[in-house]
Amino acid sequence: MAAARTTKISWRLQEFEAHSSSVSCLALGKSSGRLLATGGEDCRVNIWAVSKANCIMSLTGHKNPVECVQFNMSEEQVVAGSQSGSIRVWDLEAAKILRTLMGHKANITSLGFHPFGDFLASSSMDTNIKLWDVRRKGYVFRYKGHTQAVRSLAFSPDGKWLASASDDCTIKLWDLTLGKTITEFRSHTAAVNIVQFHPNEYLLASGSSDGTIKLWDLEKFTMISSLEGDMSPVRCVSFSPDGSCLFSGATDSLRVFGWEPDRCFDMVSVGWGKVSDLAVCNQQLIGVSHQLSSVSSYVVDLKRVKQSGSFVIQGIVRDNEPLTEPKDPKGAALRKNYERPTTTCSSQRVKQRADTERPSPEGERRSPSEDEGDEKASSAEIHNAEDFKEIFQPKNAISRTPPKMSEPFPAPPEDETILATGRQPKDMASPFPDKMQAPPMASSTPVQRVEPTVVSSLKPQLPSAGGPSSSRPPISCPPQPQPPIITAKSKPQSKIIPSTRNEPIGLNVADFLPFSPNNRRAALNNEEAVSQIKKGHDTMCVMLSSRHKNLETVRGVWVREDVKSALDTAVSMNDLSIVVDILNIINLQPYLWKLDLCMTVLPQIGKLLQSKYESYMQTGCMSLRLIMKHFWVLIFDTLKAAPSVGVDITREERHQKCKACYKQLKNLSNITKIKAAQVGRHGSTFKELQLLMAPLNEAL
């Protein structure tokens, strides 16, 4: 009798092209774990069934790239915020726009639905948080207090509190009924990326770019736990459904934590890269991530992941030591539980204050006809009618939500090397009406990808049926009328060379299969193949050797003297790549920065921001943020100070340095203003810098 094969603990479920341009945000439906919303630089929101590569619905109306998406609790509505600060709410069952909300002045960074009623919270790069009643045009409350962009919002399970996490390294807790801050937590040393309430107890979890997760007692307003992984930024956190443990998603890894005492139960390597969202369903954890225009989904089998034990490891998983059951798994403290209201939340429960009860000025200036025009311009294009009916319009009118209990995704055998969905590229269809499937190419890699290409025919390929079983019935796609194809002006190709790419650069498969005179491909012999591979190799080796030699020189100067001398040496080499390498090191060590160093770095930042390489731009942006954060107050105070009496050489030198830095910062402010007009993630980054450098325009 053959032995049963073991299955994988984690695997990639699928990878598909989600938008015609780069994907900027993702959100999973938390109730079912089977719905996925994606937002892209093409200004669309696409709705998908997890594990199926056919787009169910495409929502249009935004005129700027979509920066943030979120489902409500019942997964009947989806909200999306754009780069311009506008917010749109769609009813998925009715396939129509519900409301357009205007009020923010910059990119929307986070969105969240109230667990009861018709309230919605939003945050923006303008540092404001706004509470909206979806039934009205203007906002109900505006919460101000953060000094940098707010990255995450979460409502408490009882709907009375709102937690916000920000780049200013703080978490604020707001009382919705009083409209004011309850408390502020300040223990993180880097930007806080995510916050989430415990499903039952008065407990709040926060994950930060400093690599830690902190747990906060909401009765005593104290930190009770600080959990560390591998020091990579924590991007997602999710409590288990019963609240017994906490799942943490970081780059290519999942960790399972406990608290009181602090301990890491398990760590699972998952190849999801920078994971964007997590959901737990049927003893499986679903994670999604995106890169350029593609989206990937991953599954972790929680039945094979340790979720209990008492061995304290302080951030390091030690598999060679046994895990023992804790004597008191919940610690000494017994916390208060949330009380869910039996009725829905109404607008009367929110206390109106004189300074916040007015609707947004932007909302007041917009006439009803403008709002109606915006909402008429918004539409929901149903690409897969059968899937749409099965998910959003079930025959049972009492229960309108997708099924909450669904079959788990089947785990592939441990030795299986193909994609878990078992679909070949030729079986997968493009999610876009005006695109069709590219012919598959032979590859030695185990995972196949979908690469749609634009076709000139007016009859696009229809989605094909098939795919793995999931919580919803299998979909068959009969021929159906396609939406009319609207020809748009082709956008000029970006001159920016991205830091990450979907395909290798420099090698072309066609180079190894040249056409013979009779128009048939002829195989190359070994010498010819090696010659093709080595094309340009010698030149690249010379460049890398020279770069290595220069870096060794800079390192020697750093060891003998200091970081300022090393950076001066790098600048004198007239090689921007060397400057980037050095800046990437000192950007991670803020304590190395001095005013002298700023004077050297600022002129180089101007070159980096205008470089054609995305990685150079990212390094320049990071250095500029550090300088504004740590030195702007010093520069401003020094230049505004009254002249001293007598001779103070040290003060005079500092004044001259601050004056030089201010001049350079003004030049960089003009560059960021021009770059912020771009559309896409680069424009979004420069808009963030423009907001950060706004004090320059008001100062002096």
Side-chain angles (χ1 to χ4, degrees):
M1 184 176 178
R5 291 189 295 177
T6 58
T7 56
K8 293 182 178 181
I9 296 178
S10 67
W11 64 94
R12 178 156 63 180
L13 189 64
Q14 66 173 160
E15 181 176 1
F16 58 92
E17 293 292 315
H19 288 264
S20 57
S21 59
S22 294
V23 177
S24 51
C25 53
L26 301 173
L28 284 164
K30 300 298 188 297
S31 297
S32 68
R34 294 297 187 267
L35 276 182
L36 172 66
T38 63
E41 292 184 6
D42 57 5
C43 308
R44 286 175 172 258
V45 177
N46 291 337
I47 307 298
W48 313 79
V50 174
S51 83
K52 299 176 183 177
N54 297 328
C55 180
I56 302 172
M57 190 188 312
S58 188
L59 309 173
T60 63
H62 278 296
K63 299 173 184 176
N64 297 91
V66 177
E67 295 286 322
C68 187
V69 291
Q70 196 64 251
F71 287 103
N72 70 342
M73 295 293 289
S74 63
E75 299 176 9
E76 296 171 345
Q77 297 176 8
V78 69
V79 60
S82 77
Q83 200 175 88
S84 66
S86 68
I87 300 169
R88 281 174 167 78
V89 185
W90 284 272
D91 184 323
L92 297 178
E93 180 180 301
K96 69 176 184 179
I97 184 79
L98 274 183
R99 181 70 68 204
T100 299
L101 305 171
M102 309 293 289
H104 286 290
K105 299 179 181 179
N107 306 27
I108 302 299
T109 54
S110 182
L111 294 163
F113 277 98
H114 193 276
F116 317 107
D118 297 295
F119 290 103
L120 168 72
S122 64
S123 65
S124 167
M125 289 297 304
D126 61 14
T127 74
N128 290 328
I129 301 168
K130 295 188 177 182
L131 181 68
W132 310 81
D133 186 336
V134 177
R135 297 163 296 185
R136 297 172 52 189
K137 297 286 184 185
Y139 58 81
V140 179
F141 265 128
R142 177 172 60 188
Y143 305 96
K144 300 198 302 184
H146 285 292
T147 58
Q148 295 186 42
V150 179
R151 294 298 178 186
S152 179
L153 296 172
F155 284 100
S156 61
D158 60 3
K160 296 179 180 179
W161 292 347
L162 176 69
S164 60
S166 170
D167 283 352
D168 60 15
C169 311
T170 67
I171 303 107
K172 290 182 183 291
L173 195 63
W174 309 85
D175 188 313
L176 296 180
T177 57
L178 298 179
K180 65 179 183 180
T181 309
I182 299 173
T183 189
E184 180 181 82
F185 301 119
R186 284 184 166 273
S187 294
H188 283 293
T189 58
V192 187
N193 301 321
I194 188 74
V195 285
Q196 189 177 69
F197 285 90
H198 191 281
N200 304 312
E201 302 176 11
Y202 272 43
L203 200 63
L204 180 71
S206 60
S208 167
S209 292
D210 62 14
T212 67
I213 298 171
K214 299 189 187 297
L215 291 164
W216 312 90
D217 188 312
L218 300 183
E219 288 185 279
K220 301 176 182 177
F221 301 118
T222 57
M223 185 178 72
I224 63 164
S225 183
S226 182
L227 308 163
E228 296 183 5
D230 58 0
M231 298 311 295
S232 63
V234 178
R235 303 181 60 83
C236 304
V237 295
S238 178
F239 283 99
S240 61
D242 62 359
S244 61
C245 64
L246 179 69
F247 302 111
S248 164
T251 303
D252 288 329
S253 67
L254 172 74
R255 281 179 165 79
V256 188
F257 288 108
W259 57 93
E260 295 178 329
D262 298 353
R263 55 207 186 277
C264 180
F265 296 133
D266 208 346
M267 192 279 285
V268 181
S269 295
V270 190
W272 52 31
K274 295 180 179 179
V275 63
S276 297
D277 201 9
L278 301 175
V280 178
C281 181
N282 279 342
Q283 288 294 302
Q284 290 183 332
L285 183 138
I286 316 299
V288 288
S289 61
H290 62 90
Q291 184 178 17
L292 298 181
S293 60
S294 66
V295 170
S296 300
S297 58
Y298 294 79
V299 181
V300 179
D301 186 355
L302 296 181
K303 290 181 288 187
R304 300 186 57 195
V305 174
K306 298 171 185 174
Q307 300 180 51
S308 63
S310 64
F311 180 58
V312 183
I313 55 178
Q314 297 297 335
I316 303 173
V317 178
R318 301 176 182 172
D319 292 330
N320 59 338
E321 299 192 26
L323 292 173
T324 58
E325 288 299 320
K327 296 179 181 178
D328 186 3
K330 293 188 178 181
L334 294 176
R335 289 184 188 81
K336 184 178 177 182
N337 284 0
Y338 295 106
E339 295 178 2
R340 270 77 167 181
T342 55
T343 59
T344 59
C345 181
S346 64
S347 57
Q348 283 72 24
R349 295 180 57 198
V350 182
K351 179 183 176 182
Q352 300 294 323
R353 295 179 57 178
D355 59 339
T356 56
E357 65 182 354
R358 296 187 301 273
S360 63
E362 293 81 1
E364 289 176 344
R365 288 198 296 266
R366 293 169 59 86
S367 66
S369 61
E370 287 176 333
D371 282 329
E372 289 171 5
D374 268 353
E375 292 178 6
K376 286 179 181 177
S378 303
S379 66
E381 302 171 4
I382 300 174
H383 294 170
N384 193 319
E386 291 296 322
D387 235 359
F388 173 75
K389 290 178 181 178
E390 291 288 349
I391 296 173
F392 298 112
Q393 294 183 334
K395 295 178 181 179
N396 184 357
I398 297 177
S399 176
R400 302 191 307 161
T401 62
K404 295 190 176 182
M405 293 305 295
S406 53
E407 292 297 324
F409 296 114
E414 193 70 57
D415 57 351
E416 188 172 319
T417 58
I418 62 170
L419 189 62
T421 55
R423 299 176 68 175
Q424 299 301 321
K426 63 185 178 62
D427 299 324
M428 302 181 72
S430 165
F432 313 113
D434 59 341
K435 292 191 175 186
M436 69 172 287
Q437 190 65 37
M441 296 178 62
S443 172
S444 60
T445 57
V447 178
Q448 304 292 338
R449 301 185 67 256
V450 185
E451 295 285 354
T453 56
V454 179
V455 295
S456 58
S457 171
L458 293 180
K459 295 181 179 180
Q461 178 178 339
L462 292 172
S464 62
S469 60
S470 69
S471 61
R472 298 174 177 84
I475 301 169
S476 60
C477 299
Q480 53 184 314
Q482 296 290 325
I485 298 174
I486 301 174
T487 58
K489 294 181 180 179
S490 59
K491 296 181 181 179
Q493 291 294 325
S494 173
K495 295 181 180 180
I496 301 298
I497 299 176
S499 56
T500 57
R501 305 177 179 92
N502 275 346
E503 65 280 327
I505 300 299
L507 286 180
N508 188 351
V509 176
D511 291 341
F512 300 92
L513 298 171
F515 282 98
S516 60
N518 59 359
N519 290 330
R520 292 184 179 178
R521 293 187 181 274
L524 296 180
N525 58 38
N526 290 342
E527 291 182 0
E528 291 172 330
V530 171
S531 175
Q532 291 285 355
I533 294 173
K534 292 181 67 176
K535 187 186 298 183
H537 176 72
D538 293 337
T539 304
M540 180 59 69
C541 285
V542 170
M543 292 174 59
L544 291 177
S545 298
S546 173
R547 187 169 176 178
H548 181 265
K549 182 179 178 181
N550 289 338
L551 286 172
E552 285 292 333
T553 302
V554 173
R555 181 177 178 274
V557 174
W558 193 334
V559 172
R560 292 193 308 272
E561 300 178 37
D562 56 14
V563 61
K564 171 68 166 57
S565 302
L567 191 58
D568 287 337
T569 303
V571 171
S572 67
M573 292 175 175
N574 202 26
D575 185 349
L576 210 54
S577 65
I578 304 298
V579 176
V580 170
D581 288 338
I582 303 304
L583 284 179
N584 283 335
I585 296 172
I586 63 177
N587 281 348
L588 298 176
Q589 304 177 63
Y591 65 88
L592 292 174
W593 287 81
K594 302 289 187 294
L595 200 57
D596 288 341
L597 195 65
C598 294
M599 292 180 62
T600 303
V601 171
L602 282 169
Q604 304 304 313
I605 291 178
K607 299 177 183 178
L608 297 178
L609 296 185
Q610 299 179 82
S611 170
K612 66 179 180 179
Y613 297 106
E614 184 182 35
S615 59
Y616 286 18
M617 292 167 54
Q618 291 170 344
T619 300
C621 289
M622 176 62 74
S623 298
L624 185 54
R625 287 193 194 97
L626 285 171
I627 291 173
M628 286 298 297
K629 181 178 180 181
H630 296 287
F631 293 96
W632 169 243
V633 174
L634 170 65
I635 294 171
F636 178 77
D637 291 345
T638 301
L639 296 181
K640 290 289 287 185
S644 61
V645 178
V647 179
D648 188 342
I649 297 177
T650 303
R651 184 183 182 281
E652 189 64 29
E653 288 179 348
R654 183 169 64 249
H655 188 275
Q656 291 299 323
K657 292 175 183 176
C658 289
K659 188 175 180 180
C661 289
Y662 177 76
K663 183 178 179 181
Q664 291 291 339
L665 286 171
K666 286 291 288 184
N667 293 336
L668 293 175
S669 178
N670 294 332
I671 294 174
T672 58
K673 184 177 180 180
I674 295 171
K675 294 278 190 178
Q678 297 177 352
V679 176
R681 66 176 183 276
H682 300 122
S684 175
T685 300
F686 282 106
K687 280 184 180 177
E688 180 180 345
L689 281 176
Q690 188 181 13
L691 286 171
L692 187 63
M693 301 182 77
L696 283 167
N697 301 323
E698 305 168 2
L700 308 180

